[in-house]
Amino acid sequence: MISKENILAIAKKTILSESEAITKLIDFLDENFFEAVQRIYETKGRLIVTGIGKSAIIAQKMVATFNSTGTPSMFLHAAEAIHGDLGMIQNDDIIICISKSGNSPEIKVLVPLLKRFGNTLIAITGNTTSFLAKGSDFVLNTTVDTEACPINLAPTNSTTAQLVMGDALAVCLMEMRDFKPEDFAVYHPGGALGKKLLLRVKDMIEHSLKPTVTPDTSVKKVIFEISEKRLGVTAVIENDKIVGIITDGDIRRMLNDVDTIADLTAKDIMSKNPKVVSSETMAVDALNILEDFSITQLIVADNGEYKGVLHLHDILKEGIV
């Protein structure tokens, strides 16, 4: 058995080795990188990313990153390419081929076929004198001195270097496109991330009830209104204006303070100047207001027109927190 101390030491050594390999990439950035970014940015086609083995897995991750940040991309498996998948490549497409050695049999078969189509070919390789490098228009150097693997065989530092080089390309392209959070949201409409960036208050109150009383409504009827609408709150409306809010907490406090509610009306127990948001408010911003003021409901109104009630539970149900 390896001791806990040895396991932690091996893990630290691995992380340090990979971090050092990444740091060295800075010295490899040159005119090739600049030209590659420019070509990708200016192309009217897509970015095709290909590789074999572990590099193919890195290629798939790159494609996912490029697609989500505004660079239309497709993955092409190097082994499948020569069995029909080359048909996905179109005239304006730019191709990135990833290979540590740049000399694997599949790459040697693939490169001449790619060049036959006349597309720009960008190599990401750890061997700048390889078959792939010599056949490419631009070479992005991801050379590593050694792998973190103790027998220097399993791709570790080399695949991390490939991944980081791909991220560097993607981030440069994002900056060139002035890619903003709202752009990112377009490509991530689902899940918590998309909802944080896209979901608005109006999306959550579209079919909600609108508990309403007037200042002169009896407290008994106020209680009925809150109970019936099941939002734990009611707006107090006078002359089409929101003049107050009554929550179930207000009701409980009132019952603790008085012996009878017979003569009480809404205006006697309502809170004036309630927190109000518009229906266009982002859900995440509404959540921040709820948290800042330690409340669970917000009145929703557009230009003073009462639209409904947003409850904390509405936001929690959407899973954005």
Side-chain angles (χ1 to χ4, degrees):
M1 290 290 290
I2 302 178
S3 68
K4 179 180 76 172
E5 289 74 17
N6 284 340
I7 289 174
L8 294 176
I10 293 168
K12 291 175 183 178
K13 182 180 178 181
T14 301
I15 293 171
L16 181 61
S17 179
E18 297 209 9
S19 66
E20 290 174 347
I22 292 171
T23 300
K24 290 180 180 179
L25 291 180
I26 294 172
D27 296 329
F28 298 150
L29 296 176
D30 57 13
E31 189 72 14
N32 279 266
F33 184 89
F34 169 75
E35 291 291 344
V37 172
Q38 284 290 119
R39 289 288 184 95
I40 297 170
Y41 176 70
E42 293 170 358
T43 186
K44 296 179 181 178
R46 303 157 304 172
L47 185 58
I48 309 296
V49 190
T50 186
I52 192 78
K54 303 297 188 297
S55 295
I57 298 172
I58 298 300
Q60 291 179 71
K61 191 276 177 185
M62 283 189 193
V63 166
T65 299
F66 285 128
N67 279 327
S68 68
T69 54
T71 299
S73 305
M74 292 183 67
F75 169 68
L76 172 65
H77 196 284
E80 298 296 330
I82 59 177
H83 294 286
D85 283 1
L86 280 174
M88 73 168 60
I89 300 175
Q90 314 217 349
N91 292 338
D92 292 327
D93 293 343
I94 290 179
I95 304 163
I96 292 178
C97 186
I98 309 172
S99 172
K100 177 186 176 182
S101 72
N103 287 319
S104 64
E106 296 86 356
I107 297 299
K108 286 187 173 182
V109 172
L110 181 60
V111 169
L113 297 174
L114 295 175
K115 293 304 294 180
R116 186 182 66 189
F117 290 108
N119 299 79
T120 297
L121 178 60
I122 301 167
I124 295 181
T125 182
N127 184 353
T128 57
T129 62
S130 64
F131 185 86
L132 170 60
K134 291 177 180 178
S136 299
D137 298 291
F138 306 105
V139 180
L140 307 186
N141 188 355
T142 53
T143 299
V144 297
D145 296 331
T146 185
E147 300 287 3
C149 164
I151 57 175
N152 196 32
L153 290 176
T156 44
N157 289 358
S158 57
T159 47
T160 301
Q162 293 168 354
L163 185 64
V164 170
M165 189 63 76
D167 285 343
L169 288 171
V171 172
C172 287
L173 291 164
M174 288 178 69
E175 293 277 0
M176 293 174 75
R177 292 191 171 94
D178 193 24
F179 202 80
K180 294 181 169 59
E182 52 267 32
D183 300 314
F184 194 78
V186 171
Y187 301 108
H188 297 77
L193 178 60
K195 287 179 180 179
K196 278 187 177 181
L197 295 171
L198 290 174
L199 194 67
R200 297 181 183 274
V201 169
K202 65 182 179 182
D203 301 317
M204 294 182 288
I205 67 163
E206 185 177 0
H207 302 295
S208 70
L209 300 173
K210 294 169 59 177
T212 306
V213 297
T214 69
D216 296 326
T217 301
S218 68
V219 167
K220 182 177 180 179
K221 289 184 178 180
V222 169
I223 294 172
F224 285 155
E225 181 71 0
I226 293 176
S227 300
E228 182 182 3
K229 300 298 171 59
R230 298 183 179 181
L231 290 172
V233 66
T234 182
V236 183
I237 308 295
E238 184 176 31
N239 298 324
D240 296 326
K241 292 183 179 180
I242 302 166
V243 295
I245 186 174
I246 301 174
T247 67
D248 49 9
D250 294 323
I251 298 295
R252 287 193 297 271
R253 285 186 289 273
M254 173 205 65
L255 293 175
N256 284 331
D257 294 337
V258 301
D259 295 325
T260 177
I261 63 171
D263 297 325
L264 293 179
T265 60
K267 64 176 178 289
D268 297 319
I269 62 171
M270 71 180 187
S271 299
K272 297 180 180 179
N273 302 315
K275 296 291 178 288
V276 179
V277 295
S278 76
S279 62
E280 292 294 331
T281 301
M282 301 302 298
V284 68
D285 293 332
L287 175 62
N288 290 335
I289 295 172
L290 291 170
E291 291 178 337
D292 289 344
F293 291 94
S294 299
I295 55 179
T296 56
Q297 303 103 339
L298 285 169
I299 297 293
V300 182
D302 292 334
N303 297 320
E305 181 183 353
Y306 178 42
K307 294 293 185 180
V309 174
L310 177 68
H311 198 287
L312 175 62
H313 293 163
D314 298 325
I315 299 177
L316 296 179
K317 281 193 299 184
E318 294 294 340
I320 67 172
V321 291

